[in-house]
Every structure is written in C-alpha cells, then in structure tokens.
Amino acid sequence: MSTAWRIGVDTRRCIGTSICAGTAPEHFRLVDGLSAPLAHVVAPAEVILDAADSCPVEAITVHDATDDRLIAPQE
C-alpha cells in the first residue's frame, strides 16, 4: 500500500474547468486560470482520485511517490 502520492498537472492539457479545485479544494487551486496542486507529494486520499478522474482532459496524474506507478487517471 502506498504511503505517499505525487500529484502532477499537465498545464499544456489543462483547460481550467476548476472541477479539481471544486472537488478537492484542499489539494488543488487555479493559478492564472490553470490547475495547480497545493502540494506535489501528499498522503493518499480518495478525493484526489475523484479530482483526477473527473478532469475532462486528463491533465491530472497521480503516481505512487515510492515506485512512480500510475494510480490515476484509471485507464
């Protein structure tokens, strides 16, 4: 089981819908109209997966901070 996740946002893909910030405001905010994580390494939380899975352009990625395994978005 993972003890830490790494959150990434591809700003070239992000279209600024703010769904992530609305879904997980404790983890995402909009900066200059684009999503940005509040911290790049975080404790695992279901709401982060919800935010990643709800991104319409799959700009958010969540990886295991230990082995870099992709956790979200789900394929």
Side-chain angles (χ1 to χ4, degrees):
M1 166 146 304
S2 179
T3 59
W5 289 350
R6 189 169 35 81
I7 302 172
V9 176
D10 184 342
T11 56
R12 294 167 299 177
R13 294 185 77 148
C14 180
I15 58 174
T17 64
S18 75
I19 294 170
C20 57
T23 301
E26 62 278 12
H27 296 286
F28 297 93
R29 67 172 185 246
L30 291 186
V31 176
D32 296 327
L34 299 176
S35 177
L38 295 178
H40 292 282
V41 177
V42 298
E46 189 68 30
V47 70
I48 297 168
L49 300 180
D50 293 343
D53 290 336
S54 68
C55 180
V57 294
E58 296 186 342
I60 299 169
T61 56
V62 181
H63 288 87
D64 185 301
T66 304
D67 64 11
D68 205 37
R69 176 179 48 91
L70 180 66
I71 297 168
Q74 296 293 324
E75 292 183 7

